[in-house]
Amino acid sequence: MNAPVMTGSDLDERVIPPSAFVADDAAFVDVRLPGSEGKLNFSMIGPGVSENPTQHINLREAHGFNIGAAGMPPGAINNQHLHYTAEVFVSLGGEYEFRVGVEEDQTFEASGRFVLSVPTWIFRGFRNIGIEDSVLYAVLGGDDTGGIMWSPRVLARAADTGLHLLEDNTLLDTAAGDSLDGREIMAPMSEEDVSRLRTYTEAELLARLVSEGDLAWSDHALADSMLPEHASSLAPVIGWGMTMDRDQAPPIYDPHTFSLDWLRVPAGNSVSRHRSHETQCLLVADDGWVLDVNQGDDLLSRDLQPGSVVSIPPGVWRSFRNTGSDPAHLLVVNGGDTRIHLEWPDETVEAARDAGTVIDAGGYLAPAHLVRKHRRSFA
């Protein structure tokens, strides 16, 4: 099958550096509550759960998931709300307190680099407890997230500031002169419905927090990782992802509509040319990364800044190079809840075979001397 070819303008649209993030300070009903002034919302891939119809979206194309971020000054609070689809927080640095439950009755802290998947249909909020501005990324399940449901207390307090959430999930501001006449206001969840929400133990919640020290790396997870100058390590976080190491398993495996893998490449090495037939996005954690797409005369390259979000269309050939002086990390988001079967060019497959490794019928790496080529006839 012929591979799609990206143009330079298409690639530029899909490489979204932090300087291209557009902040919205009026995305949610709680923005006037004490402690929430100054928090910002960004929508890089899809609209996310923003309640502001004028929210800027960098890339509207459906991916099967959304990627956005919260800009959090020190002390900033994102108040209690629940999601209908997966909400996965990704921190590249910072200190946060997370609050779970309609009355914020469970709290825990997380800092540095981490991934946190909060279960659907439970109230959650968070606060920047660090001393610096921070950006907390979020990967959200599905193309249509359904918006969010705020806790009854948040809706009541927001109404006192003039902000009301309508049934169509947009905001109305009576303090700015908007009229409530004939408008359907979102009804708060009843006490009875709140009481029926599932609760989670602290151990269950912390099992969904994966920090750097929790990662289980494999240095033979990709077809080229044993080849000279192509060393890499992979650590699954959510879903079965793209590992080709049959012994790896993710710490979080319930369906999210996407998978997350950490990729680490030593200085001067690269993941060689390959392609995926699923949607794929990269969250760039470190300096030094260069993305190559296409092949031959159509080859295009872009330097990737830390904090960037990058979208790569299905079927496009791509490679990731670490041109820096230290090991570099990428968080790779692949669409879908099934394993990702990467496709490699014949020269990589043959080089791996010469090095003693082949891809077995299950799509995993195996010793070449144990895998025999054979055909069975069913005629």
Side-chain angles (χ1 to χ4, degrees):
M1 184 179 73
N2 291 330
V5 175
M6 293 184 71
T7 65
S9 59
D10 189 25
L11 181 56
D12 289 337
E13 181 183 29
R14 291 173 176 274
V15 176
I16 308 170
S19 60
F21 297 177
V22 178
D24 186 350
D25 62 0
F28 296 110
V29 74
D30 69 334
V31 293
R32 291 181 186 157
L33 299 185
S36 294
E37 311 96 329
K39 72 170 184 173
L40 304 173
N41 189 66
F42 305 94
S43 295
M44 289 77 85
I45 306 292
V49 292
S50 175
E51 295 160 354
N52 185 354
T54 65
Q55 168 90 48
H56 178 86
I57 303 168
N58 292 90
L59 192 58
R60 291 181 175 271
E61 176 186 316
H63 283 61
F65 52 84
N66 289 246
I67 299 179
M72 305 288 288
I77 298 170
N78 199 321
N79 291 277
Q80 300 305 100
H81 63 282
L82 63 75
H83 284 248
Y84 312 116
T85 68
E87 181 181 39
V88 173
F89 296 111
V90 179
S91 169
L92 300 182
E95 299 176 70
Y96 301 93
E97 177 188 67
F98 291 92
R99 305 170 177 182
V100 177
V102 70
E103 297 299 333
E104 307 177 13
D105 43 12
Q106 291 173 286
T107 63
F108 58 93
E109 296 180 5
S111 61
R113 289 185 181 175
F114 63 82
V115 173
L116 170 64
S117 174
V118 183
T120 60
W121 281 93
I122 66 169
F123 284 103
R124 81 293 307 270
F126 52 94
R127 180 169 66 98
N128 178 3
I129 58 174
I131 61 173
E132 297 180 351
D133 289 354
S134 64
V135 174
L136 187 61
Y137 293 82
V139 187
L140 305 176
D143 292 315
D144 181 1
T145 65
I148 55 179
M149 175 72 75
W150 294 93
S151 81
R153 185 158 60 99
V154 170
L155 288 176
R157 293 171 63 210
D160 291 339
T161 74
L163 284 174
H164 304 267
L165 185 62
L166 301 180
E167 282 287 353
D168 64 359
N169 209 49
T170 59
L171 292 177
L172 182 144
D173 186 358
T174 55
D178 294 343
S179 173
L180 284 172
D181 293 343
R183 310 297 292 274
E184 292 286 338
I185 295 177
M186 182 80 70
M189 185 178 288
S190 69
E191 290 185 12
E192 181 180 5
D193 286 330
V194 169
S195 70
R196 290 175 176 170
L197 295 177
R198 179 180 169 181
T199 59
Y200 289 78
T201 66
E202 181 177 0
E204 287 174 319
L205 292 171
L206 292 179
R208 303 178 70 85
L209 172 64
V210 183
S211 299
E212 273 191 289
D214 303 320
L215 297 174
W217 295 96
S218 170
D219 59 6
H220 53 279
L222 298 177
D224 66 342
S225 57
M226 76 296 298
L227 301 179
E229 299 182 352
H230 296 298
S232 67
S233 301
L234 198 74
V237 179
I238 294 176
W240 298 99
M242 59 187 187
T243 183
M244 301 175 75
D245 180 347
R246 63 182 176 274
D247 294 324
Q248 275 197 301
I252 304 170
Y253 50 81
D254 57 295
H256 282 61
T257 76
F258 56 85
S259 61
L260 294 185
D261 294 297
W262 276 111
L263 173 68
R264 180 177 65 198
V265 172
N269 282 253
S270 68
V271 177
S272 62
R273 186 165 57 96
H274 63 284
R275 60 179 178 170
S276 170
H277 297 285
E278 309 297 334
T279 54
Q280 185 179 83
C281 287
L282 313 175
L283 179 54
V284 182
D286 295 314
D287 203 359
W289 285 109
V290 175
L291 168 68
D292 299 322
V293 298
N294 306 330
Q295 56 185 333
D297 293 339
D298 296 314
L299 182 68
L300 298 172
S301 299
R302 294 292 186 274
D303 295 333
L304 304 180
Q305 298 176 22
S308 297
V309 175
V310 182
S311 167
I312 307 175
V316 170
W317 290 109
R318 79 288 307 264
S319 65
F320 315 132
R321 292 185 282 133
N322 177 8
T323 62
S325 56
D326 297 304
H329 299 74
L330 287 174
L331 189 66
V332 185
V333 185
N334 286 294
D337 286 314
T338 58
R339 275 184 59 211
I340 304 300
H341 293 268
L342 300 179
E343 181 181 346
W344 303 85
D346 290 343
E347 59 266 26
T348 300
V349 174
E350 290 306 314
R353 176 179 289 277
D354 291 342
T357 299
V358 296
I359 303 171
D360 70 13
Y364 291 111
L365 300 181
H369 68 280
L370 295 178
V371 179
R372 289 161 173 71
K373 289 185 177 181
H374 66 281
R375 289 178 179 266
R376 296 177 63 189
S377 174
F378 293 92

